[in-house]
Amino acid sequence: MSQPLLITGAGGQLGRRVVDLLLAQGARPLIVTTRHPEKLGELRDRGVEVRRADFDAPASLAEAFAGAARLLLISTDALDRPGRRLAQHRSAIEAAVKAGVQHVVYTSLTNPGPGSPIAIAPDHQGTEDALAESGLGATVLRNNLYADLLLGSLQRALATGQLVAAAGDGRTGYVTREDCARAAAAALAADFDGKRVLDITGPAALSQGEIARITSELTGKPIAYVPIPREALEQGMRQAGLPAAMATLFASFDEGIARGTLDVATNAVEELTGEPAEDVQSFLARHVAALRGAVAA
């Protein structure tokens, strides 16, 4: 029997896709944790052990992680108050040590260090620091921005003829969620037991102007990239009804792009999985029907 693999946050999109990929590869035994085990009965029917884990209840986590040799710690969505997510991650790492886990794979962020203007960067850097201090083997996957997030902004751009952002001329190594899942599944199932940090990106970093051009070519609809100041972007999102904290978070990503924080492109996905990451043009071409639907609307 191979060593047990555990995936946290299996009810989320990334975690669920990692589980499906591992099942397709015949990886066994698999353990998943979630706040809502009742929602993952289908995985239990496929031979996966489903456990409840509450990252706000640290005392329960060591039992939830018991028996796992390798653990995928997917960063949580606890963004409602500063410090909560980092506290959750630290609790999970401490529990992994107590449970006898040998290696943790963690989904981090590109360049999360103190120079990053991205609001959630300190959570990721703090988690990386906690892993480094834990004595555990660790693979840190610094995921760049999801290419999937472009679809919403580009649908709006196609409807108005303008792609409005506060990203300046900065570039982003957009990577698909699917490629992040493939990378995470490969890293979790690997026999690597040391410490490493990998930048999980698409094959090239693109500017907003280049993305507007690619989208125009795919849809036949002209789009102009309109760079605006961060403050104007944040104010506009608030006026559109977005909560202030989320507007600040989203605007901080644009500032990070403008500063070059996300201008990273590697072949780490291919090195981990044997297959190259999908580029933005190919990804958008696969979703061109949805984009053209925005034009028709």
Side-chain angles (χ1 to χ4, degrees):
M1 179 181 292
S2 59
Q3 52 189 359
L5 308 178
L6 188 149
I7 300 95
T8 71
Q13 292 184 74
L14 180 64
R16 180 55 185 266
R17 184 57 184 147
V18 171
V19 175
D20 286 340
L21 288 168
L22 289 169
L23 286 173
Q25 295 163 14
R28 298 288 193 284
L30 289 184
I31 305 165
V32 301
T33 66
T34 175
R35 285 171 294 183
H36 304 289
E38 68 279 3
K39 296 182 179 180
L40 297 183
E42 185 265 340
L43 287 182
R44 189 178 287 110
D45 293 342
R46 295 166 68 189
V48 177
E49 183 175 353
V50 180
R51 299 176 180 173
R52 185 177 186 277
D54 183 350
F55 279 39
D56 289 318
S60 70
L61 292 180
E63 182 177 353
F65 296 164
R70 298 174 68 86
L71 184 151
L72 172 61
L73 175 58
I74 295 178
S75 54
T76 74
D77 59 0
L79 300 175
D80 56 325
R81 64 177 185 271
R84 181 185 172 202
R85 179 159 71 162
L86 179 54
Q88 289 180 336
H89 292 174
R90 285 175 172 158
S91 295
I93 292 166
E94 292 172 3
V97 173
K98 292 178 182 177
V101 173
Q102 299 161 19
H103 195 93
V104 172
V105 179
Y106 173 63
T107 58
S108 188
L109 171 72
T110 307
N111 286 323
S116 175
I118 298 174
I120 59 173
D123 287 346
H124 290 295
Q125 185 61 60
T127 304
E128 290 191 19
D129 293 343
L131 270 175
E133 295 163 4
S134 70
L136 295 168
T139 297
V140 173
L141 303 177
R142 288 181 170 175
N143 293 342
N144 213 300
L145 279 185
Y146 285 160
D148 310 57
L149 299 175
L150 288 170
L151 296 176
S153 60
L154 290 175
Q155 287 171 338
R156 290 189 294 273
L158 285 162
T160 62
Q162 294 184 332
L163 177 60
V164 179
D169 295 324
R171 295 171 179 269
T172 305
Y174 288 103
V175 60
T176 67
R177 182 185 285 110
E178 176 70 10
D179 283 333
C180 289
R182 292 198 303 118
L188 184 62
D191 57 7
F192 178 82
D193 60 3
K195 294 181 183 293
R196 58 180 173 175
V197 177
L198 302 173
D199 281 301
I200 305 303
T201 77
L206 300 178
S207 68
Q208 297 298 297
E210 290 168 322
I211 290 168
R213 175 185 56 77
I214 290 169
T215 306
S216 294
E217 292 172 353
L218 288 171
T219 62
K221 166 87 173 187
I223 301 175
Y225 169 47
V226 181
I228 62 173
R230 171 186 168 151
E231 294 74 16
L233 177 67
E234 192 167 342
Q235 181 179 7
M237 288 189 287
R238 289 180 179 182
Q239 290 175 345
L242 199 66
M246 296 308 296
T248 297
L249 172 60
F250 291 147
S252 77
F253 273 99
D254 274 37
E255 183 176 348
I257 295 171
R259 290 197 198 177
T261 304
L262 302 180
D263 187 359
V264 178
T266 73
N267 62 352
V269 171
E270 185 171 10
E271 291 174 354
L272 282 168
T273 69
E275 297 290 338
E278 185 174 23
D279 61 57
V280 166
Q281 181 159 345
S282 173
F283 173 80
L284 294 179
R286 287 197 296 110
H287 293 86
V288 72
L291 295 174
R292 285 179 176 150
V295 178

